[in-house]
Amino acid sequence: MQIVPVLRGCLAAYAIGVLFNWGGQLLSDAQRPGHPLDPWNDLWFSAVFGALLALPVTALVIALWFLLARRSSTVTYRDAMTAGAAGTGVLFWAVGNPLPSLLVGLALGAVFGAAFWLSAFGFRRQVTLTLR
């Protein structure tokens, strides 16, 4: 059953997101003079905040996998990267300054999609989704 690789891919994308967020927080803290650096508290915050964002996205990914697997659809690594870029780009665009946030969201989303694909399906170029 492909649900285990799909969940593994979601976990990999979550981990990459936490690491990116944590790195950004560490860089931001380092730029503020007189601000004590507390990397482990920042990591904890990134993990909890990331989990709150990852749960609905994981539910959406599982629903999408189920719909595509019922049709025995074939998907490629480009589909994962495009879906990640589109979803993250739209979310970043809605929250921040339109163009810069959109571009950062597209880039990060493509990285999330690549992490998902590599963790779920390895280096295969395409996979036929099944419910078995």
Side-chain angles (χ1 to χ4, degrees):
M1 187 165 205
Q2 288 178 333
I3 190 71
V4 173
V6 169
L7 289 174
R8 186 174 55 229
C10 289
L11 184 62
Y14 163 73
I16 293 295
V18 167
L19 291 176
F20 269 108
N21 191 30
W22 185 45
Q25 285 182 338
L26 291 178
L27 288 174
S28 176
D29 287 348
Q31 297 297 320
R32 290 189 278 177
H35 184 73
L37 193 63
D38 187 9
W40 304 117
N41 190 33
D42 290 343
L43 177 61
W44 175 251
F45 176 79
S46 295
V48 171
F49 184 68
L52 292 175
L53 292 173
L55 287 175
V57 173
T58 300
L60 182 66
V61 168
I62 290 171
L64 183 62
W65 165 77
F66 181 76
L67 291 174
L68 292 173
R70 278 186 40 201
R71 296 175 161 217
S72 297
S73 298
T74 299
V75 293
T76 67
Y77 69 96
R78 290 184 186 118
D79 298 331
M81 292 177 67
T82 302
T88 308
V90 167
L91 288 175
F92 272 50
W93 176 72
V95 171
N97 189 6
L99 184 60
S101 294
L102 175 66
L103 296 176
V104 169
L106 290 174
L108 281 177
V111 171
F112 297 154
F116 171 86
W117 185 269
L118 288 173
S119 179
F121 304 116
F123 288 101
R124 289 183 271 176
R125 290 186 172 269
Q126 65 182 17
V127 172
T128 300
L129 301 178
T130 63
L131 291 175
R132 293 184 248 127

